[in-house]
Amino acid sequence: MEEKTPIDRVRESSGYSDVGTNKDGTIINTMKIANRLLVIKERSIYEMVFADEVDPDRTNINLPRTINKLVINQGTESELVARTFLMATKIFKPEYLRKGIDCDAILNLCIDLLSELSVLNEEIIKYFVEEEKVSAEYEQRKNEGKGFQIPSITNIESRCKTIFQKADHIEQTLMEIVTHFYPGSGLKKQSHFPRFREVLSNEHGENSGFTEFIGSTITFMRTIRELRNGLDHRLSNYKLSNFELQKSGDIIAPTIELNHKEVKMDRTSLGDFLEVTLNNLIEITEMTFVYLAGYAAKETGMAYQMKKIPEDRRRHEFVRYSFWMPIGEEGFYCQ
């Protein structure tokens, strides 16, 4: 029997690893998605990487046996995480879906999508912090009788460019997930929701719930894409205004408007629209996942159906949908 080398003994020894800090809360769950091991905590999600993945030839004995990598600084307490990624881990399972759907590949993409949503959320929060800061500084100068100075958010164009790029990336990642459910449809990652709606109409009918839902999102998704294009290429079909002084002497907060030939948006509060953007993308992600899983449910064996979970029967406050089985008087929710 070949004697183990010192590095073999280190790599193969038992032990434990701290994941994150106490601020992340307790570990709620661990799960393996393809070759990734995730540790889901109350206020964060980490990926655990083993030394052999980084150094498969075992050349560096000083590498830690496990390396923790922060995926997102939100966890099970987050509504954003629960309504998107946590729900996805409950419904995108081989035991519920028809054969041929690669659940590991889909959940890997869901991790990417969660990261995009998290960054979008952080960028929007940064915008609101800055808007509140300069507004407070303006009020302070005004109350102290100092020289009049209009508040201004620095780099407002760059901030919005980053935000709408992320929002557009979310659509692209959603479309890549969709391609796993409709592989022969011609849909690609670069496809957009109008084309997706055409595919759904052909597959499920013009009046199907999925077709109607995606149809209801098209104007919003087009608005996001055209704002992103306008900001990226400095087009003249959008207008982003910083704080403005009105004839009345009032100061209005930043606004945004779009005058594209096919989709338009009247001048509106930038802050309000950013809040709507985040909320809409969470809702669109959640419901797209629900419909994808529901329409791809197995047609043999147990009669799985996708249903909204009554509030008093939810294991997690913000995970609102699951597969349901007709067992017992009220059925069983697969949570």
Side-chain angles (χ1 to χ4, degrees):
M1 187 175 183
E2 186 177 350
E3 186 178 350
K4 290 185 178 181
T5 65
I7 193 171
D8 290 336
R9 288 194 290 271
V10 170
R11 293 281 176 90
E12 296 168 14
S13 63
S14 60
Y16 71 93
S17 174
D18 292 325
V19 180
T21 67
N22 291 335
K23 291 181 180 180
D24 299 318
T26 60
I27 295 175
I28 302 300
N29 193 16
T30 60
M31 64 179 63
K32 201 167 189 304
I33 297 173
N35 60 347
R36 303 172 75 175
L37 179 61
L38 297 185
V39 178
I40 301 175
K41 305 186 76 175
E42 291 174 309
R43 291 178 287 280
S44 63
I45 298 176
Y46 287 85
E47 180 178 356
M48 289 189 70
V49 181
F50 294 94
D52 279 352
E53 297 175 40
V54 179
D55 177 29
D57 296 327
R58 297 187 170 181
T59 61
N60 184 358
I61 196 172
N62 296 316
L63 278 180
R65 290 176 60 253
T66 58
I67 302 101
N68 303 320
K69 183 170 65 175
L70 181 65
V71 175
I72 176 178
N73 59 359
Q74 297 184 63
T76 57
E77 292 181 351
S78 162
E79 182 175 354
L80 184 157
V81 172
R83 291 179 62 189
T84 58
F85 180 69
L86 287 188
M87 185 188 69
T89 64
K90 305 293 184 184
I91 65 177
F92 293 147
K93 291 185 173 183
E95 56 261 42
Y96 303 142
L97 306 181
R98 63 174 182 263
K99 289 183 179 180
I101 295 177
D102 189 340
C103 292
D104 277 345
I106 290 166
L107 289 175
N108 259 326
L109 288 168
C110 289
I111 296 171
D112 296 340
L113 182 61
L114 178 61
S115 296
E116 296 281 8
L117 282 165
S118 174
V119 173
L120 176 68
N121 182 46
E122 289 172 1
E123 292 297 329
I124 291 175
I125 289 172
K126 287 179 186 176
Y127 169 81
F128 280 118
V129 168
E130 184 67 13
E131 184 181 277
E132 185 175 344
K133 173 177 170 287
V134 299
S135 296
E137 289 173 351
Y138 166 76
E139 290 297 333
Q140 183 176 355
R141 288 180 63 87
K142 181 179 175 182
N143 292 336
E144 292 176 354
K146 294 183 178 179
F148 184 82
Q149 181 176 308
I150 300 174
S152 177
I153 294 178
T154 58
N155 302 319
I156 192 169
E157 292 265 348
S158 297
R159 291 172 185 267
C160 286
K161 183 176 179 179
T162 299
I163 287 170
F164 290 113
Q165 280 177 342
K166 287 297 174 187
D168 194 51
H169 289 168
I170 289 165
E171 182 194 24
Q172 293 175 18
T173 308
L174 267 176
M175 288 306 309
E176 191 170 3
I177 291 169
V178 165
T179 62
H180 286 273
F181 290 86
Y182 298 93
S185 64
L187 288 173
K188 301 177 181 178
K189 177 181 179 179
Q190 296 78 17
S191 300
H192 297 290
F193 270 40
R195 173 64 185 136
F196 181 25
R197 186 199 171 283
E198 291 177 12
V199 168
L200 292 175
S201 180
N202 292 333
E203 290 279 340
H204 307 302
E206 186 71 14
N207 298 319
S208 75
F210 203 178
T211 305
E212 290 182 348
F213 171 72
I214 293 300
S216 71
T217 71
I218 287 176
T219 298
F220 168 74
M221 297 301 272
R222 284 291 308 276
T223 300
I224 295 298
R225 185 165 10 114
E226 297 306 337
L227 285 172
R228 182 251 168 97
N229 288 339
L231 285 157
D232 276 354
H233 305 294
R234 295 187 175 277
L235 304 178
S236 60
N237 57 12
Y238 81 97
K239 185 177 180 181
L240 180 62
S241 302
N242 215 316
F243 283 89
E244 284 188 355
L245 175 65
Q246 303 296 291
K247 290 181 180 179
S248 62
D250 295 332
I251 301 288
I252 63 170
T255 60
I256 192 167
E257 57 189 294
L258 177 67
N259 189 29
H260 185 268
K261 60 183 178 181
E262 296 178 5
V263 60
K264 302 180 187 299
M265 180 177 71
D266 291 337
R267 189 179 191 188
T268 189
S269 160
L270 176 59
D272 288 349
F273 186 67
L274 293 182
E275 188 172 5
V276 166
T277 294
L278 179 63
N279 291 338
N280 279 1
L281 287 172
I282 293 172
E283 173 84 8
I284 289 167
T285 297
E286 177 188 44
M287 295 310 301
T288 299
F289 285 178
V290 166
Y291 280 115
L292 285 172
Y295 277 79
K298 285 182 177 177
E299 296 180 352
T300 57
M302 183 62 69
Y304 292 111
Q305 300 175 41
M306 183 61 63
K307 286 196 173 185
K308 192 168 187 177
I309 310 166
E311 289 188 19
D312 62 349
R313 299 187 65 180
R314 294 177 189 171
R315 290 186 183 175
H316 191 290
E317 178 184 2
F318 298 122
V319 177
R320 306 191 303 165
Y321 295 88
S322 75
F323 277 107
W324 173 90
M325 297 186 295
I327 297 175
E329 290 185 6
E330 298 182 357
F332 178 76
Y333 292 90
C334 307
Q335 303 180 69

